[in-house]
Amino acid sequence: MTATTTHTPAGRSGAADSGQRSPVLSARGLVKTFGKVVGLDGVDLDLYPGEVLAVIGDNGAGKSTLIKCLTGALAPDAGELFLEGKPAQFKRPQDARDAGIETVYQTLAVAPALDIASNLFLGREKRRRGVLGSVFRMLDQKGMRREAAQALADLGIGTLQNVAQAVETLSGGQRQAVSVARAAAFGSKVIVLDEPTAALGVKESNQVLRMIEEVRSRGLPVILISHNMPHVFEVADRIHIQRLGRCAGVVTPASHTMPEAVAIMTGATTLEETPGRTAG
Amino acid sequence: MTTTTPPTTAAQQFALRRHSPLQRVQHLLHAHPAISPFLVLVISFVVFSTLNPRFASPNSLSLVLQQVAVIGALAVGQTLIILTAGIDLSVGAVAILAMMLAAKLAEGQGLPGALAIALAIAVGAAAGALNGALVTRLKLPPFIVTLGTLSVFTALGLLYSEGQSVQATDLPAVLSWTGESFPVGRFRITVGVVAVVLLYLAVGFALAKTAWGRHVYAVGDDKEAARLAGIRVDRVLLSVYVVAGAIYGITAWILIGRAGAASPNAITDANLESITAVVIGGTSLFGGRGAVLGTLLGALIVGFFRSGLSLAGVDDQYRVLAVGLLVILAVAVDQWIRKVRS
């Protein structure tokens, strides 16, 4: 147990813009093992307000395990989580969601046959006011459609005009947009995106990257897991590099080049050997 | 950084292309799946009343409604279960078990009629809960679960009733009240038919207008996605089986009125007939798609074929044949509709 570890945010401030602000979400000494396989071997992570923190790493580096521990899909064996400085424990994905952490899964948790508005509100539908809502449990369809249209417009998705359209009639990028919009509409503290551009083409990927920037501009921090270095370097403020279950370092697009980050990620070099340009 | 490009690429122009008539039909059916069974119903009405004008008479149509009532009621529960990508082979068996328990207790022990009805509904809900628990807790496929409980409930119904029917005349009047008829214009409507209509309205409302309905569709559509969206999938599934069971219990009451007796050997093919109504009504066997309105149309289509072909003097086997073809056609149309893309 690393119970005595202090959780001040000053620990790892390699980033230029982290300054003196306190992190929204931080993890200290996360350990997760699967039998003899070590998924996470004491990982620290800090997410600051209004930043996009990318998490990169080779297959098996512990990216997914790390994210699952942060979002309640897995319970870490050891280590602590702090949400806005307060200790947090997520036993189920729903716990993290209730705490304000919204996750967009790689498998896109959408119901294809339901329309866009229904998908945005899936699992937290709004009911009509008065007797219609309380006794007859009637949904406020109009209200949900209006808010869904607003949520999409807020993210600059003009192409999805009709929120009464079934999700299965949408392209991959549009479905991704619905998932991100859903997270952005309900995530009050943190948004986690797991490989949001993995299945998308160039144009659709750009749309999702613009949405990430839009979410950030509202002050909502984003954790972005991605394999795609150009995408990471385009939108990330800081980059958390996972390697063999540990954090091999946190760099920024200003301090390191793409090849340098990849070299650290694959173990060809280390952060000590390649400190990068000191930003600021 | 907020540059928006006007839609000028070839792909975007392609997306704005005019759709072929066939594609438009596909889109229309995708948006309103009840159209195809409705068309079949209208066409069969026209054809059968041309073959024999007596088909369209109020007398004959009233009879069709009464004939359709029992399967139509069971098909409401069946629709709920098929919407979750399940299937219920035990529908008829549950209704019979609930009916025989209620009838025997009302006859022998002198249980008041209203209590007997409540008991039938409770037995149906309990049987549904058993199906639902096996599906959600033991993770068994609904087909296997209900194949098993079909035999179990059938055997229990026969054992308990010792294979004996109970005549409606030996029962409290309220149990056969569903068979009472009253005139509506030139039609004769039974209380049972009214009960079925109310069932459709209630379940139709719950599916279309409540969060529970949304969750039923979401679970049937993509279970994992529903779970990740924060829906308690097992709870929704269990509730669907319990509600369906309660509907089978209500059907038991309708059945006593319709048959004038509680017979353990009634509605032996209820499972297949109710599935037929659901499928012809356009509800997808793969879950997440469909509505009770379609099922009502599907049940009426089967009723029209039965009455229409017999009035046309055609051997009843042609009805069986025609309904079989309709089922295949309906599933083929469903598969085609599923391929729709914007």
Side-chain angles (χ1 to χ4, degrees), chain A residues 152 155-160 171-178 180 197 200-214 231 234:
Chain A
L152 291 171
L155 287 170
I157 312 159
T159 50
L160 294 177
S171 70
Q174 290 172 321
R175 287 186 202 202
Q176 190 79 54
V178 170
V180 176
T197 56
L200 302 184
V202 175
K203 185 171 165 288
E204 294 177 317
S205 295
N206 281 333
Q207 193 182 21
V208 170
L209 295 179
R210 293 295 84 74
M211 288 174 74
I212 292 173
E213 287 170 346
E214 180 60 40
H231 291 168
E234 193 179 335

Side-chain angles (χ1 to χ4, degrees), chain A residues 81-88:
Chain A
L81 283 180
F82 301 92
L83 188 63
E84 294 181 325
K86 293 186 209 83

Side-chain angles (χ1 to χ4, degrees), chain A residues 167-195:
Chain A
V167 164
E168 67 194 334
T169 63
L170 304 178
S171 70
Q174 290 172 321
R175 287 186 202 202
Q176 190 79 54
V178 170
S179 296
V180 176
R182 176 192 154 89
F186 292 102
S188 54
K189 305 224 167 95
V190 178
I191 290 181
V192 180
L193 302 169
D194 190 2
E195 298 278 6

Side-chain angles (χ1 to χ4, degrees), chain B residues 7-100:
Chain B
T8 49
T9 66
Q12 279 165 335
Q13 277 167 7
F14 175 72
L16 296 171
R17 75 199 181 281
R18 290 179 66 83
H19 293 290
S20 73
L22 196 63
Q23 278 173 316
R24 278 191 220 161
V25 170
Q26 193 183 20
H27 278 262
L28 189 67
L29 290 181
H30 184 262
H32 309 281
I35 288 179
S36 31
F38 182 71
L39 284 181
V40 173
L41 189 71
V42 170
I43 293 168
S44 54
F45 180 83
V46 171
V47 170
F48 290 134
S49 41
T50 316
L51 287 175
N52 187 339
R54 268 176 55 210
F55 172 80
S57 71
N59 260 343
S60 140
L61 288 179
S62 302
L63 192 63
V64 168
L65 287 182
Q66 291 169 30
Q67 285 169 340
V68 160
V70 170
I71 293 299
L74 293 175
V76 177
Q78 186 73 262
T79 308
L80 282 172
I81 287 171
I82 289 181
L83 277 176
T84 66
I87 198 139
D88 192 348
L89 299 177
S90 70
V91 267
V94 172
I96 296 291
L97 178 62
M99 179 174 75
M100 293 322 294

Side-chain angles (χ1 to χ4, degrees), chain A residues 97 113 118 125 139 168-169, chain B residues 30 209 214 221 228 289 342:
Chain A
R97 194 190 305 256
S118 300
E125 288 81 0
L139 290 171
E168 67 194 334
T169 63
Chain B
H30 184 262
K209 300 288 178 194
R214 288 293 152 85
D221 210 358
L228 289 174
R289 204 174 307 260
S342 70

Side-chain angles (χ1 to χ4, degrees), chain B residues 44 137 149 165 230 242 253 298 300 333:
Chain B
S44 54
R137 298 277 172 265
T149 53
S165 299
V242 171
W253 183 26
L300 284 174
V333 168

Side-chain angles (χ1 to χ4, degrees), chain B:
Chain B
M1 279 298 288
T2 51
T3 48
T4 45
T5 49
T8 49
T9 66
Q12 279 165 335
Q13 277 167 7
F14 175 72
L16 296 171
R17 75 199 181 281
R18 290 179 66 83
H19 293 290
S20 73
L22 196 63
Q23 278 173 316
R24 278 191 220 161
V25 170
Q26 193 183 20
H27 278 262
L28 189 67
L29 290 181
H30 184 262
H32 309 281
I35 288 179
S36 31
F38 182 71
L39 284 181
V40 173
L41 189 71
V42 170
I43 293 168
S44 54
F45 180 83
V46 171
V47 170
F48 290 134
S49 41
T50 316
L51 287 175
N52 187 339
R54 268 176 55 210
F55 172 80
S57 71
N59 260 343
S60 140
L61 288 179
S62 302
L63 192 63
V64 168
L65 287 182
Q66 291 169 30
Q67 285 169 340
V68 160
V70 170
I71 293 299
L74 293 175
V76 177
Q78 186 73 262
T79 308
L80 282 172
I81 287 171
I82 289 181
L83 277 176
T84 66
I87 198 139
D88 192 348
L89 299 177
S90 70
V91 267
V94 172
I96 296 291
L97 178 62
M99 179 174 75
M100 293 322 294
L101 271 171
K104 281 283 173 190
L105 285 174
E107 181 200 30
Q109 271 80 346
L111 192 71
L115 273 183
I117 293 164
L119 177 81
I121 296 172
V123 169
L130 176 66
N131 281 339
L134 290 170
V135 168
T136 56
R137 298 277 172 265
L138 297 187
K139 310 282 176 206
L140 300 177
F143 182 92
I144 297 302
V145 167
T146 57
L147 182 65
T149 53
L150 162 67
S151 300
V152 171
F153 295 146
T154 304
L156 285 177
L158 282 167
L159 287 170
Y160 181 74
S161 63
E162 295 166 334
Q164 303 284 311
S165 299
V166 182
Q167 292 307 310
T169 45
D170 299 335
L171 290 170
V174 67
L175 279 176
S176 52
W177 182 54
T178 49
E180 301 274 327
S181 66
F182 55 89
V184 175
R186 293 167 59 208
F187 292 87
R188 284 207 81 77
I189 302 296
T190 61
V191 173
V193 169
V194 174
V196 174
V197 172
L198 290 177
L199 264 184
Y200 273 92
L201 287 176
V203 174
F205 175 85
L207 279 176
K209 300 288 178 194
T210 71
W212 179 77
R214 288 293 152 85
H215 296 174
V216 170
Y217 281 101
V219 166
D221 210 358
D222 189 334
K223 223 184 203 178
E224 185 58 18
R227 192 185 67 80
L228 289 174
I231 293 173
R232 295 167 128 163
V233 171
D234 282 353
R235 194 181 277 196
V236 171
L237 277 177
L238 188 62
S239 73
V240 162
Y241 280 89
V242 171
V243 169
I247 291 172
Y248 306 153
I250 296 170
T251 311
W253 183 26
I254 297 170
L255 181 57
I256 295 177
R258 167 74 192 137
S263 159
N265 299 310
I267 55 167
T268 41
D269 287 333
N271 48 12
L272 298 181
E273 287 179 25
S274 64
I275 294 168
T276 300
V278 174
V279 170
I280 291 180
T283 293
S284 171
L285 282 173
F286 305 100
R289 204 174 307 260
V292 283
L293 172 63
T295 302
L296 178 62
L297 296 172
L300 284 174
I301 288 170
V302 176
F304 274 16
F305 272 64
R306 188 190 305 271
S307 158
L309 288 175
S310 92
L311 283 173
V314 179
D315 192 308
D316 190 52
Q317 287 311 315
Y318 284 101
R319 171 190 59 91
V320 179
L321 190 150
V323 168
L325 293 178
L326 264 184
V327 167
I328 293 172
L329 183 71
V331 176
V333 168
D334 174 50
Q335 291 284 40
W336 179 59
I337 293 174
R338 275 174 165 263
K339 291 190 193 127
V340 80
R341 285 288 175 272
S342 70

